């Protein structure tokens, strides 16, 4: 079954997410947050686990948040937690796989 092409807004959102992941440090931050699960990590712990700290970490988290891949929330007065936006990460994976093998003539290679 052939699926419709994604609309331009989906392409724009996917392009922004992939652009945000175009840095080894940002990819490391996202992978670390995925491993941490929905409860996320404090900025300090995230920095310890990734080796990215200070303003560099803040910059990378901001880019990931702008792309909709990471959410941030303040807990208490001084601890900032960052948690991955799992729905957005799943949407990104689905974006890549939705049309897998749609134009293939070999129907045995279709995904899902």
């Amino acid at each position: 079954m052939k699926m419709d092409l994604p609309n331009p807004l989906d392409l724009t959102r996917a392009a922004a997410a992939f652009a945000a992941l175009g840095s080894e440090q940002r990819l490391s931050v996202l992978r670390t947050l995925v491993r941490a699960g929905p409860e996320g990590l404090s900025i300090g712990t995230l920095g310890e686990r990734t080796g990215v700290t200070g303003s560099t970490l803040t910059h990378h988290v901001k880019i990931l948040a702008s792309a909709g891949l990471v959410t941030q929330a303040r807990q208490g007065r001084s601890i900032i937690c960052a948690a991955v936006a799992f729905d957005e990460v799943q949407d990104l994976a689905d974006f890549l796989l939705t049309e897998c093998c749609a134009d293939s003539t070999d129907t045995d290679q279709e995904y899902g």
Side-chain angles (χ1 to χ4, degrees):
M1 175 169 125
K2 182 139 174 99
M3 297 186 175
D4 293 331
L5 292 175
N7 70 43
L9 292 176
D10 289 340
L11 290 173
T12 300
R13 192 175 92 204
F18 284 118
L21 294 173
S23 156
E24 288 180 27
Q25 287 182 325
R26 286 192 293 274
L27 189 55
S28 175
V29 167
L30 183 64
R31 287 184 70 199
T32 300
L33 290 172
V34 167
R35 288 179 57 96
E39 64 275 2
L41 297 170
S42 70
I43 291 292
T45 301
L46 182 58
E48 290 171 7
R49 292 188 185 177
T50 61
V52 182
T53 57
S55 61
T56 301
L57 179 59
T58 302
H59 170 74
H60 288 313
V61 170
K62 182 179 177 181
I63 290 171
L64 291 167
S66 293
L69 297 173
V70 168
T71 57
Q72 291 180 289
R74 183 173 293 276
Q75 289 185 351
R77 292 189 303 164
S78 60
I79 301 174
I80 298 175
C81 291
V84 73
F86 288 98
D87 291 342
E88 289 298 319
V89 174
Q90 184 63 55
D91 287 348
L92 194 56
D94 291 345
F95 174 84
L96 288 175
L97 297 175
T98 296
E99 296 184 48
C100 178
C101 309
D103 294 334
S104 175
T105 57
D106 185 356
T107 56
D108 290 336
Q109 291 187 9
E110 280 192 41
Y111 172 79

